Amino acid sequence: MTVRVRFAPSPTGMFHVGGARSALQNWIYAKQQGGVFVLRIEDTDAARNKPEWTEGILSALDWIGISRGSYEGPYFQSANAGEHRAAAARLYESDRAYYCDCTREDVQARTGSQYQGYDGYHRDLGLGPGEGRALRFRTPDEGTTVVVDLIRGEPTFENKLIEDFVIARGDGSPVFLLANVVDDMTMGITHVIRAEEHLPNTPKQQLLWEALGVKPPIWAHVPVVVNEKRQKLSKRRDKVALEAYRDEGYLAGAMRNYLMLLGWAPSGDREIVPWSVIEDEFRLDEVNLSSAFFDEKKLRAFNGEYIRALPVAEFIDACQPWLTGTETIAPPPWQPEEFDADAFAAVALLAQTRIAVLSEIVPNVDFLFLASPLIDEAAWTKTMKDGSAELLDDAVAAFEALESWDAESLKSTLEAVGAERGLKLGKTQAPVRVAVTGRTVGLPLFESLEVLGRERSLTRIRAARLRLV
Ligand code: GLU
């Protein structure tokens, strides 16, 4: 039997990192089993779906390594509407489902509780189909439904506790529970790997499989991803969109490595490992049962390591979107014609060791391309103290006298200027750095001055000096 798994996102918003993790787990499982990965877009909720969200899912998957053309699909759930309705009709005809026109209020009035599920009122009343009548599945009165779950063993559900749930609404449209099952059935899915939040649906869905006469799949419910307060990551509260991480300059390799470590670890205490190791070693049944903390700080640290591991030429390429701007990444503060590729290449290696996400390249190098630096006023006030004006005068004089404008000479020269005042290099550097780059932190100062060049550097230091009059 060929293993067939699917990833079945609903295109109702940006692509969630938790979804990306499920997609990767499915992807790896299929690969390990010599199986097939199917992508299905669950687009039946017409009011909440937008085509751009579907495009977002496809491109986010592509970015993370599940590339277009390397899987089966995408299929669209909406294209399968006829099958969903036919299945609902079959369940009704075989008496596994019945019509009901009770409102929530009716049920409440009968049960005396707003928390009680449906009470089975119409089970044996023989109501036929009609406008406004929902179709409910007749769940077994006794016995248990045992779900085979690769992560959880065999969660067992008492059938009598499962209410007669709705499978098609009053307008005849099938609900998620049914559409999702029918699609999995039609697509020959053998393993359903999805988030734990769907576990309460699973006994109901398994009953539907059985009622439709098909052997249910094997399930795997992966624990949810939570924030630092142990709350499920939510798009209203947390940064969850994979696209947001991509546009901030996370590398796909770092991201997918990190996502796979949520609730699982490769052998030997390693965390940062080549993708091939994850593909070999990942085991669904080793995934931890407790929820996994999505630690953005740790992800940043991961990303920094991935950035540092790039050959510098690749690093330069990887920075391009932030150096020019794209449809989704804001353009940098300089004009395209101000950019100097050689100057950038000269500092790339220095920047590579200092940034954790690629977007941080911009504030590190903007001083090289702008006619005058963007001055961070808070940094200016903090740095420019009594004596700074004189210090800058001396620095200009000493730099003007330099024969060779190189980092080493610049450093020893400024060191000497500071020493005359009893200042350490750090204190001497600070006003010069703010004058030249506009900031207190950034690339090493003397290399920056070397690349910026004699004229531009001196002009900036003189301009800063004038501001201090
Ligand atoms: N469309 C559902 C979701 O995004 C799919 C659930 C499933 O994988 O079965 O949650």
Side-chain angles (χ1 to χ4, degrees), residues 6 8-10 40 42 176 180 184 192-194 197-198 205:
R6 85 316 190 255
S10 309
R40 179 172 76 236
E42 300 212 318
F176 159 75
N180 180 263
D184 283 345
V192 171
I193 305 164
R194 62 181 178 182
E197 66 206 34
H198 284 292
Q205 292 195 302

Side-chain angles (χ1 to χ4, degrees), residues 264-285:
W264 175 80
S267 62
D269 247 359
R270 294 172 300 172
E271 291 202 305
I272 296 191
V273 286
W275 186 244
S276 57
V277 169
I278 296 185
E279 282 187 334
D280 280 352
E281 291 192 7
F282 176 71
R283 292 289 173 271
L284 255 183
D285 57 9

